[in-house]
Amino acid sequence: MSRGAFFCLFFHKASRRTGRPKRAGDPPGTGRGEGMAVKFQSVAGMKDILPEETPLWQDLEKVLREVVRSYGYAEIRMPAVESTSLFVRSIGEVTDVVEKEMYTFDDNGDSLSLRPEGTAGCVRACIESGIIHNQERRLWYMGPMFRHERPQKGRYRQFHQFGVEVFGLAGPEIEAELILMIARIWRIFGISDRLTLELNSLGTPEERVAYRASLVDYLRAHQDQLDDDSRRRMETNPLRVLDSKDPGVQEVLSGAPVLSSCFGEETRQRFERLQQILRDAGVPFKINERLVRGLDYYSHTVFEWVTDALGAQSTVCGGGRYDGLVEQLGGHSTPAVGFAIGLERMVLLLKTLEACSAAPAAADVYLCAMGDEAVRRSFILGEQIRSEVPGIRLLTNCAGGAFRKQFRRADQSGAAFALILGESELEQGMVGIKDLRQGTEQRNVPWGEAAAELKNLLGV
Ligand code: ATP
Ligand code: MG
């Protein structure tokens, strides 16, 4: 049975088991004992992003959108589920992702998988719609990806990627554009000094065939020093042995032939040209001859941005050229290059910055009202102010209570000002305004001037 089939069973068993929620204290996998209080838990490796953290995510997403927009990229949105065979064909049969990380299930005889990455689906969508036929396309996407991995810091079973794919451009210039764009993103967030760009060229498929042969010869001669995984990969996907983390294997590799020794003049020149543009632009990089990346579809340039601030999960962004993939998936031969940033790892990195600790307040203004009539009228006032003050965040007191209690809630909301509508204000056609941070006394303004007054106070 292939590993893909194994996960198919796993997924089915798991979903059949979940007919009843897990209870606190249940041993894993049991499902009896009706009538007790239930406590649901999120699936291992699939985290909630709570309101304390969503402002950081929103900022991050906003900046990413603005940066790619400034380079003229357009958004594409793909489904989270595709045919399993799309991923097997594009990512490659002998890769970690396809061998053991996919969530695969049967859908009335069709094998489907939750997407483990975005490139395959993006290429499928572009071929299917014809939008890359004889034309350049610069695309981006953002969304959740799914991989059945052992959950740990920076490694989850549902995680988010921000990805970019460019079609129809064959030279190193577009690779430079992508790298400059990523460097800009790090700069904007002030994390450039925590990230190192590692660069390598995988050459052409023909050059890799020649290299593969010499690498396999070398590995065979040292096979008793390899671990099981590398011995198996030596036969199926020998280049992947190069990024083994096993120290013994690393030791063996220090004497192995290097890929660049098989490069022809053209590959050498285009790789040099990319490096030249990066040097001109002042983007530092390190050549890592062992960088092969986990997926099969790359050729020529591959790169990763790595950090030592996140423990073992060091790669924050990975990408490269994949000229053969469009044709391999049934399209016309089309040069292509792309990258993906792991957003959870980027968030973890941002959290290492001091400036990013406190979550911003949820509101600017808290609207307090007391008395039946005043509460009803407060909704009209709230709507009017939201229409007249652009961008204002106005929180309405919906829990009743005396003004003293409402002020406490107003204070806890983080709002800078409270609006007050009681019976006496209503009678006089006035609205009270109280500066919650200065602790000054309430002052009243006519109902019709409240919006203008808030604009003034909030500086909008
Ligand atoms: P790793 O070597 O860490 O497993 P990868 O080579 O499998 O990474 P890619 O397929 O290149 O990762 O995905 C691009 C980026 O997506 C990674 O650099 C990382 O930031 C992020 N990523 C990949 N897998 C996960 C995961 N399970 N949880 C969180 N982020 C992930
Ligand atoms: Mg991985």
Side-chain angles (χ1 to χ4, degrees):
M1 196 195 306
S2 76
R3 296 299 297 246
F6 168 73
F7 273 109
C8 176
L9 288 180
F10 168 85
F11 200 29
H12 271 287
K13 267 201 221 129
S15 52
R16 238 179 276 132
R17 257 204 320 262
T18 51
R20 158 216 167 280
K22 190 173 169 183
R23 292 187 176 86
D26 268 0
T30 58
R32 269 156 262 108
E34 300 305 320
M36 292 161 69
V38 292
K39 191 173 173 198
F40 288 98
Q41 283 177 351
S42 66
V43 173
M46 302 197 181
K47 296 192 309 162
D48 302 302
I49 302 174
L50 296 173
E52 283 65 30
E53 217 181 84
T54 48
L56 180 56
W57 281 81
Q58 287 170 353
D59 279 355
L60 174 56
E61 291 163 4
K62 182 163 169 272
V63 170
L64 291 170
R65 283 196 186 94
E66 283 169 3
V67 171
V68 286
R69 191 171 176 277
S70 77
Y71 285 77
Y73 286 61
E75 184 183 8
I76 181 166
R77 300 186 185 191
M78 299 85 65
V81 174
E82 301 274 357
S83 299
T84 304
S85 54
L86 171 72
F87 298 119
V88 177
R89 254 199 98 80
S90 57
I91 298 169
E93 204 138 10
V94 191
T95 53
D96 281 348
V97 172
V98 168
E99 280 184 329
K100 39 191 182 190
E101 296 173 0
M102 282 218 287
Y103 281 94
T104 295
F105 59 99
D106 172 79
D107 179 35
N108 275 335
D110 293 329
S111 179
L112 304 181
S113 294
L114 303 186
R115 60 180 185 190
E117 50 104 66
T119 305
C122 182
V123 171
R124 195 261 319 129
C126 288
I127 297 172
E128 191 175 334
S129 62
I131 61 169
I132 53 171
H133 186 44
N134 285 335
Q135 47 192 318
E136 290 169 19
R137 285 279 178 174
R138 289 170 159 91
L139 303 174
W140 68 271
Y141 54 83
M142 183 154 48
M145 307 293 160
F146 304 85
R147 295 186 193 181
H148 192 273
E149 302 199 67
R150 193 168 70 77
Q152 50 197 294
K153 183 181 170 192
R155 190 174 296 283
Y156 311 100
R157 291 181 175 177
Q158 174 171 336
F159 61 99
H160 298 78
Q161 282 186 344
F162 175 81
V164 161
E165 317 289 350
V166 178
F167 299 95
L169 292 167
E173 293 77 12
I174 186 64
E175 295 156 15
E177 174 173 297
L178 294 186
I179 290 171
L180 296 186
M181 186 155 90
I182 302 164
R184 174 177 296 276
I185 292 168
W186 307 148
R187 249 192 341 268
I188 291 173
F189 284 101
I191 49 177
S192 304
D193 61 346
R194 287 168 164 75
L195 287 153
T196 307
L197 172 59
E198 296 194 351
L199 207 58
N200 193 20
S201 173
L202 299 179
T204 62
E206 296 72 35
E207 287 159 349
R208 266 203 315 282
V209 169
Y211 174 66
R212 205 181 143 118
S214 65
L215 178 65
V216 171
D217 281 349
Y218 177 86
L219 294 175
R220 283 230 173 87
H222 296 81
Q223 55 176 309
D224 46 328
Q225 291 156 266
L226 299 179
D227 64 346
D228 289 347
D229 229 23
S230 298
R231 246 193 308 271
R232 190 169 57 85
R233 292 229 151 109
M234 177 178 81
E235 304 298 339
T236 51
N237 192 348
L239 258 68
R240 289 300 315 278
V241 177
L242 293 180
D243 67 2
S244 164
K245 306 239 156 50
D246 183 274
V249 177
Q250 284 293 330
E251 179 83 28
V252 173
L253 287 172
S254 58
V258 290
L259 222 162
S260 58
S261 63
C262 297
F263 288 169
E265 196 44 36
E266 208 183 318
T267 295
R268 228 184 291 279
Q269 267 180 20
R270 54 169 299 149
F271 194 37
E272 180 47 41
R273 180 150 175 82
L274 169 63
Q275 294 174 48
Q276 193 58 57
I277 301 176
L278 296 181
R279 277 193 290 265
D280 291 346
V283 177
F285 58 87
K286 213 173 86 187
I287 301 291
N288 175 0
E289 293 242 34
R290 304 249 180 94
L291 180 66
V292 291
R293 310 257 313 119
L295 317 177
D296 266 1
Y297 49 53
Y298 290 106
S299 61
H300 285 299
T301 307
V302 289
F303 58 86
E304 281 189 357
W305 296 81
V306 296
T307 178
D308 50 21
L310 301 181
Q313 276 50 256
S314 58
T315 310
V316 177
C317 170
R321 180 166 281 287
Y322 53 94
D323 288 345
L325 186 62
V326 177
E327 196 172 13
Q328 196 181 312
L329 294 180
H332 299 271
S333 170
T334 308
V337 54
F339 70 81
I341 297 176
L343 295 186
E344 278 76 5
R345 292 187 194 173
M346 192 166 167
V347 165
L348 284 169
L349 209 51
L350 290 174
K351 285 184 177 166
T352 64
L353 299 178
E354 259 166 52
C356 156
S357 48
D364 305 306
V365 175
Y366 192 96
L367 175 53
C368 307
M370 211 173 83
D372 202 36
E373 173 77 9
V375 169
R376 277 169 38 212
R377 294 293 296 274
S378 74
F379 284 90
I380 297 167
L381 179 67
E383 289 304 301
Q384 193 180 318
I385 289 173
R386 287 189 189 94
S387 300
E388 288 178 30
V389 187
I392 194 170
R393 298 169 307 161
L394 185 137
L395 211 61
T396 304
N397 182 73
C398 286
F403 273 132
R404 198 170 33 84
K405 220 168 179 177
Q406 296 193 31
F407 288 149
R408 204 175 317 132
R409 289 187 202 122
D411 194 41
Q412 284 164 356
S413 77
F417 300 97
L419 285 182
I420 301 140
L421 205 57
E423 269 157 25
S424 64
E425 287 85 4
L426 208 58
E427 261 167 35
Q428 298 161 25
M430 304 291 267
V431 178
I433 299 184
K434 190 172 158 65
D435 186 326
L436 294 163
R437 304 301 141 200
Q438 305 288 334
T440 45
E441 285 301 302
Q442 163 181 349
R443 63 196 171 80
N444 290 351
V445 297
W447 174 292
E449 288 170 25
E453 187 61 28
L454 283 176
K455 268 191 202 168
N456 192 21
L457 289 169
L458 295 169
V460 291

